[in-house]
Amino acid sequence: MTHISWDDSFNTGIELIDFQHRKIVSMINDLHSSSANSEYAVIDDVLERMREYVAEHFKFEEELMHAANYLFTETHIKLHQRFLGRLDLMTQQHQSGEHISTELSEFLSSWLTHHIGHEDQDYVADVSRIMKGICN
């Protein structure tokens, strides 16, 4: 398992979203550390907290995309749902005793770099416009 370092290419320029993304990176790193040490209860706890936090983050992003009339909101929501479904499946596998640490690490690392580094960047211009209106 590899520690994920924050990369400036992940920055959206939207302070609250970048803060939330950094927290997700931190949770993924906590999960990596727990998995490396085979701490079953800790892995279980981190997975549960991650699921809850990521779902809240997705809801926040989706509300902003709707408010901004982002053209690809529904497509982006489907990506979020697919991620949560995969995370739920992997959590169930972990709880049933399967050793998923390598698969989980690869999945989360890949998702993080692709989704935050690319797909989230696509909504930044639209969402930034409405965020300026909200914050002013």
Side-chain angles (χ1 to χ4, degrees):
M1 304 245 171
T2 322
H3 177 85
I4 299 173
S5 297
W6 183 261
D7 185 309
D8 285 341
S9 70
F10 298 149
N11 287 327
T12 64
I14 302 169
E15 189 175 330
L16 186 52
I17 289 176
D18 289 339
F19 173 81
Q20 292 173 351
H21 285 167
R22 285 179 188 269
K23 187 165 181 172
I24 294 167
V25 168
S26 177
M27 289 178 153
I28 291 171
N29 285 331
D30 288 348
L31 197 55
H32 289 182
S33 296
S34 300
S35 296
N37 297 324
S38 300
E39 300 174 35
Y40 180 87
V42 176
I43 295 168
D44 211 36
D45 178 61
V46 174
L47 279 169
E48 185 177 322
R49 285 186 298 115
M50 177 181 279
R51 170 59 162 91
E52 185 177 309
Y53 187 79
V54 169
E56 289 175 23
H57 166 70
F58 286 169
K59 182 178 179 200
F60 177 72
E61 271 188 352
E62 291 163 8
E63 289 170 357
L64 288 175
M65 287 185 277
H66 278 296
N69 293 316
Y70 174 59
L71 183 60
F72 301 105
T73 298
E74 296 308 314
T75 301
H76 203 101
I77 289 171
K78 287 179 184 171
L79 295 171
H80 287 170
Q81 291 169 341
R82 193 175 312 142
F83 172 83
L84 291 173
R86 179 95 187 268
L87 188 59
D88 288 345
L89 176 64
M90 295 186 90
T91 299
Q92 290 169 0
Q93 290 171 316
H94 167 72
Q95 291 172 341
S96 71
E98 291 182 46
H99 298 283
I100 60 160
S101 57
T102 301
E103 180 185 358
L104 181 62
S105 176
E106 289 171 5
F107 166 65
L108 292 173
S109 298
S110 173
W111 172 80
L112 176 84
T113 56
H114 184 75
H115 188 80
I116 294 175
H118 298 285
E119 291 159 344
D120 280 355
Q121 297 298 328
D122 292 342
Y123 69 68
V124 168
D126 292 335
V127 168
S128 290
R129 278 193 293 278
I130 66 144
M131 290 296 288
K132 287 177 186 167
I134 292 170
C135 295
N136 290 333

